[in-house]
Amino acid sequence: MRTQFMAVKIPVAKDDDDRLHLREDKIDQALRSKSLGSVLGWGDSLGEASPGGQRPVAYTRVDLDVVDVGAARTELQAALVAIGVPAGTEIHYGIEGISLADIYTPPGWQLGQPVVRRPQRPRGRTR
């Protein structure tokens, strides 16, 4: 059976206490319980640098492997609300080569929002 990649992007707040990353397990359980897929992995992503140069964790990204994007979106929307994710949580997916996201704006979801990629900053020295 052909699977597709999806991702969940969960904003991290200063008082967020998910050090054991239990959300990822709950997301995996929700998908597996309906035979929709599973969590491939997860990781924290850094935000913009502060004036002191520190880059705090901005969000946790959860990578998914799913068999049905539509059904997985529906299940994820319910599961994410049930586990108490913050506003601004995003479910990323692609349909016919177009990158889209469902964005959590309590009490509901903004569906099918186009994903605009920010240009990559050059690395290293430039002259």
Side-chain angles (χ1 to χ4, degrees):
M1 179 175 290
R2 185 169 185 263
T3 60
Q4 295 181 44
F5 178 81
M6 291 179 70
V8 174
K9 183 177 170 182
I10 304 170
V12 174
K14 287 182 182 180
D15 61 346
D16 191 3
D17 188 25
D18 191 27
R19 288 175 282 196
L20 299 176
H21 290 276
L22 298 175
R23 290 183 292 220
E24 292 82 359
D25 287 337
K26 291 176 182 177
I27 292 168
D28 189 60
Q29 290 168 8
L31 291 173
R32 286 180 187 271
S33 72
K34 302 279 173 78
S35 299
L36 293 173
S38 63
V39 169
L40 292 171
W42 56 266
D44 292 334
S45 295
L46 300 177
E48 296 296 321
S50 67
Q54 299 282 26
R55 293 184 62 203
V57 173
Y59 63 88
T60 297
R61 178 183 161 128
V62 184
D63 294 339
L64 312 171
D65 188 33
V66 302
V67 295
D68 180 332
V69 170
R73 286 174 58 207
T74 299
E75 183 62 27
L76 287 166
Q77 290 162 8
L80 293 168
V81 170
I83 63 176
V85 297
T89 295
E90 301 175 4
I91 301 170
H92 287 251
Y93 54 95
I95 296 179
E96 297 180 10
I98 299 171
S99 295
L100 301 167
D102 297 340
I103 303 170
Y104 183 48
T105 54
W109 291 85
Q110 293 179 357
L111 305 178
Q113 301 300 302
V115 175
V116 178
R117 304 271 184 223
R118 291 186 351 186
Q120 294 289 331
R121 285 190 248 167
R123 296 186 182 259
R125 297 177 81 180
T126 58
R127 294 183 185 206

